[in-house]
Amino acid sequence: MQALPGFRDFFPEECARRNYIFARWREVARRYGFVEYDGPVLEPIDLYRKKSGGELVGQLFEFIDKGERHVALRPEMTPTLARMVAARARDFRKPIKWFSIAQFFRYEKQQRGRLREFYQLNADIFGDDSPGADAEMISLAIDMLRSFGFTAEDFVVRVSDRRAWNSFLAENRIETEAAGEFLQVIDKLDPNDSAATEQKLAAFGVSAAKLNEFLNTANQTWFEPLRHELDLRGLAKFTEFDLRIVRGLAYYTGLVFEIFDRSGKLRALAGGGRYDNLIEHLSDGATSISALGFAMGDVVLGELLTEHTTASESMEKWIRAQNEIDIYIVIAKEDRRADALRLGQQLRDAGWRVDYPLGAAKVGKQFQSAGHLNARVAVVVGEEWPDVNVKALATGEQRPIAHAEVTSHLATLLQP
Amino acid sequence: MQALPGFRDFFPEECARRNYIFARWREVARRYGFVEYDGPVLEPIDLYRKKSGGELVGQLFEFIDKGERHVALRPEMTPTLARMVAARARDFRKPIKWFSIAQFFRYEKQQRGRLREFYQLNADIFGDDSPGADAEMISLAIDMLRSFGFTAEDFVVRVSDRRAWNSFLAENRIETEAAGEFLQVIDKLDPNDSAATEQKLAAFGVSAAKLNEFLNTANQTWFEPLRHELDLRGLAKFTEFDLRIVRGLAYYTGLVFEIFDRSGKLRALAGGGRYDNLIEHLSDGATSISALGFAMGDVVLGELLTEHTTASESMEKWIRAQNEIDIYIVIAKEDRRADALRLGQQLRDAGWRVDYPLGAAKVGKQFQSAGHLNARVAVVVGEEWPDVNVKALATGEQRPIAHAEVTSHLATLLQP
């Protein structure tokens, strides 16, 4: 019997890698003053029908529960988050800066970087529509990736903005209803086929020359304040500003960004933007609050981590520290087991990670276990009891220690 | 729109409480040398049909997925864990000591201490059938609860053992097939109705006198080694040994224990035991390995925590530390925003938790924000730039600091 296709068993090594990603996400989110929340894994399907795009709704793990409710495993966090914020927006001081680390489910065709379950960091700011919030959000995404050891050579943030397009649409008298269609045309323009481009644009009463003029000017002017703020944080080198990027523009109301590996081999590492109208829409007008956020998944990030020498070394180092124990108690004389157990309990109570043989075992095998468990110190309980021998396993140095000195000696040896 | 009945929204406060429980579980599991794993939230339903009891199978969130697979949200960890261990038992040195913190789903009637989703710590030892493993497992469960601040006045571990009953069954020539039925009778005996007791036992050819003789003797002798080992760890006071407790005995093959609050008001806090035959059964004989474990849920534990003065104080203290920030940058002159942002980025890069106003705001309001966010220090960027004013918010003490000294001064102020 196996796990379902697209679902992962997290054996200790994989679990530690997952937890490493979570730890970095959590640490950097907190550095930015974000506070953690979470929501249900299972939600009424209407929550997603109302917000998520058609594609996502088609990929839901959905069913009727025993109480005749049509429900779905969450495919993304935003609808749950929007529901929570809409319900209690007034209880929280603005800006609300929240993050979550949660698992999501989409019934998709499996391929590289795409499973049927995955984890995402979601970070969002509510109640602040200043340009400063846009810069803060992009900086957070960059600093998360930097915290893994990635540099501007490894990834790039591609930035666009719906508001620039809105001004273009207004100038060219393109109706709001046609905006989505127009942006889709922009998305699919073939730069090598100018005849087709002219023809497609003509349907909206726009010439290629006019479009290019807009893009050339707006790519410079529109992003100037954002570029400046990222620059003084030293983060501008991670970004590319290009209004040609329109993915997600139908949904977002302002800033839009996506993060890719520089090699371009992998799927997007993260994506997000400003969605000022969503809460109002989902709450049927009951709550109106500006919103801005992004999500970063664990699967593509995990691939990039594995391929990156220094980043994967940092990860492996963290994992070793995570799973190593402090002290292995070697019971050299089995009739001293009671004393060893009592000592073990004392050391655990003091907060150390302690292991020992659960049943009688040869001393050599016990030292093997100590090594296998990456113990830093072995405490040998044997003939010398109540004194013990303490061996630092990294150096091999072994010393007899008087009973009264054991705790303080270990504290010195085990200093971080 | 609301969360489904029995499902929780984790707003920041609830999320922090949940994470506090996770942090304690994780820390104590590691102190005992356990290593973390996890498995899929969704599994083929046959996995549960093969192992879980009839009651659990009736409570599954189950459905047919888009690939025509009959699947279920996990109601417990053991079947997944058994599948994983059966598949790779040979790859790991024994004893295998693993723990997980995961969410589970059961479609049950909601009541106090019972939701439709909950989290559980699961801790298991594989490949060691020594009595030492039994003691280690009970000690781990006790130390987890101790780590929250609970004492022997707050909870009790009730211990029984299937092996003692096996010897009784053999002595009294009760067939293996009738064992389950017999244990159910024991579970339901009314101590005040001796006539009914005699009658029920007679069906198995046993007298009440014989049963009582067994219980009186075995309760003393059977548990002597375990009691001794827990005693020298200082943990015997947390336990009660009583073979009359037979819940789960049909499933377990040796040790069985449950943990309850002393007041008896709440449902079980944790439960577990030895299940040496399960892996062999689930793997159709492919892998045979002894096993022992327990699970502790978050819902009942959370109730006990909230009610317990010192335990809840420790929790609230942890939560404050978790969500507080180190530094709030007050931008006293808006034309110094660029400098403030640059400083903020430096301080975050140094690992501090830093916040600041995303847009222009009055100084008084910024100090309010700093207080609301539990900032430890406010750094005021204003006219004196490149020098700043640093205010320790706990004491209110404020001092001008030269630019070159800012980092070292903050490091001193913010020492843990």
Side-chain angles (χ1 to χ4, degrees), chain A residues 397-416:
Chain A
E397 199 194 346
Q398 182 165 326
R399 290 214 286 158
I401 302 292
H403 190 80
E405 311 291 321
V406 172
T407 317
S408 63
H409 182 70
L410 287 172
T412 313
L413 265 184
L414 291 168
Q415 258 173 350

Side-chain angles (χ1 to χ4, degrees), chain B residues 7 14 97 118 196 203 215 226 244 278 291 304 328-329 356 408:
Chain B
F7 285 77
E14 291 87 34
K97 294 169 79 175
F118 55 93
L215 288 172
L226 182 58
R244 252 177 220 99
L278 182 72
L304 198 62
Y328 192 91
I329 300 183
Y356 63 90
S408 62

Side-chain angles (χ1 to χ4, degrees), chain A residues 132-150:
Chain A
D134 290 11
E136 177 84 345
M137 198 47 93
I138 292 178
S139 302
L140 172 61
I142 293 171
D143 274 348
M144 287 207 166
L145 291 171
R146 284 178 66 219
S147 80
F148 289 100
F150 298 125

